[in-house]
Amino acid sequence: MTFSFSENSAHLSKRAAKNSLAVLVGQALTMLANLGVTVLLARYCGKENFGIFSYALAYVGFFAVLIDFGMQAILIREISSRRWPLAEILGNALRIKAVLFLVVVVLMVATAWIVGYSDKLVCVIAILAL
């Protein structure tokens, strides 16, 4: 069975739309879940502790960018090019990310400690980092 160009194109368009919708719905559900957890956490922790948590979360967010280090785009490109075996690409990426993770966690906690944050805040930063 052969497909004409228009049939194949229509099939790909439907598939792309379906996959895009799935990603969009997933992101929307994630945002709603995050909102719910944030509201519950704010009510449970109180003003001071939620402030510490929020500050630590923002602090960790700044450093978390270093863990990915642009690797996702490179992984997508290399996997789609199929020049290397998938297991080799993913294994190397996992090793690199593990090393970056350890370095960044140590950097986060050390920076917080050197700056002179309270022990409570440094502990929350370390927990969120892990």
Side-chain angles (χ1 to χ4, degrees):
M1 177 178 196
T2 61
F3 289 104
S4 69
F5 180 74
S6 62
E7 288 175 353
N8 195 18
S9 178
H11 175 70
L12 287 175
S13 296
K14 284 182 183 179
R15 193 166 142 199
K18 184 178 173 184
N19 290 342
S20 297
L21 182 64
V23 169
L24 183 67
V25 168
Q27 287 179 341
L29 290 175
T30 300
M31 285 182 190
L32 284 173
N34 285 340
L35 177 66
V37 168
T38 302
V39 169
L40 290 174
L41 196 59
R43 293 186 74 190
Y44 177 76
C45 290
K47 292 177 185 178
E48 183 181 337
N49 289 331
F50 185 72
I52 291 171
F53 174 77
S54 296
Y55 187 85
L57 194 60
Y59 181 87
V60 169
F62 285 124
F63 283 92
V65 174
L66 298 174
I67 295 173
D68 183 43
F69 214 62
M71 196 175 306
Q72 184 175 2
I74 295 169
L75 277 174
I76 291 170
R77 185 188 70 211
E78 291 301 319
I79 290 171
S80 64
S81 72
R82 299 183 184 180
R83 289 185 287 183
W84 304 96
L86 181 62
E88 186 177 338
I89 293 172
L90 293 178
N92 289 336
L94 188 61
R95 284 185 207 98
I96 292 170
K97 279 195 171 226
V99 170
L100 284 173
F101 171 76
L102 292 174
V103 169
V104 170
V105 167
V106 168
L107 184 67
M108 269 190 262
V109 175
T111 303
W113 183 71
I114 290 170
V115 169
Y117 291 150
S118 69
D119 291 340
K120 187 176 186 179
L121 183 56
V122 173
C123 183
V124 172
I125 287 171
I127 291 170
L128 287 176
L130 294 174

